Amino acid sequence: QVQLVESGGGSVQAGGSLRLSCAASGYINISARMAWFRQAPGKEREGVAAIYRTDGATMYADSAKGRFTISRDNLRNTVSLQMNSLNVDDTAMYYCAVAQFGGGWWLNPSSYNLWGQGIQVTVSS
């Protein structure tokens, strides 16, 4: 059974940076797509960034473009999210997710069948 474990969250001041990592234990299909989502209190879960294991193709939410970078390491079965220029609107629980066979909408939660427990990111002004 695949487990996803996030790390790297925490508190940072506005303008700062954080790097989230997600380690997957178990088999991840080579054609899988890996992604980061976030959910703030009272809001729906939203896609932040996604990446295909095969060719590294990426997609970002508008809110993440130019500030966040998603990357993957297929040998280590990890996906990371480098977040720069953080602002208070980035405060949320961040989740790692995997769509084992790709497909579906890149940043739609319903396209993903594996989820981590989440990690908190808090940005203060």
Side-chain angles (χ1 to χ4, degrees):
Q1 185 171 346
V2 177
Q3 287 189 325
L4 305 177
V5 179
E6 299 98 338
S7 62
S11 297
V12 65
Q13 288 193 322
S17 299
L18 282 174
R19 183 177 180 85
L20 304 181
S21 292
C22 173
S25 61
Y27 176 74
I28 302 293
N29 196 299
I30 188 59
S31 63
R33 187 175 65 242
M34 307 179 81
W36 287 95
F37 289 78
R38 67 186 184 186
Q39 188 167 17
K43 294 188 177 181
E44 293 185 353
R45 190 169 297 190
E46 63 173 352
V48 176
I51 186 168
Y52 270 99
R53 297 189 79 217
T54 47
D55 59 3
T58 59
M59 177 173 284
Y60 294 90
D62 287 344
S63 60
K65 288 177 182 176
R67 300 188 301 129
F68 295 0
T69 302
I70 189 171
S71 60
R72 93 283 192 220
D73 184 330
N74 289 344
L75 290 179
R76 292 179 173 82
N77 262 0
T78 60
V79 60
S80 298
L81 185 69
Q82 177 66 42
M83 304 187 293
N84 298 328
S85 301
L86 287 161
N87 59 61
V88 294
D89 292 333
D90 296 315
T91 296
M93 187 74 78
Y94 283 71
Y95 298 89
C96 172
V98 172
Q100 275 283 30
F101 300 100
W105 295 99
W106 285 58
L107 298 179
N108 189 320
S110 65
S111 299
Y112 294 81
N113 57 321
L114 299 171
W115 291 87
Q117 293 297 307
I119 194 164
Q120 180 67 38
V121 171
T122 302
V123 184
S124 59
S125 59

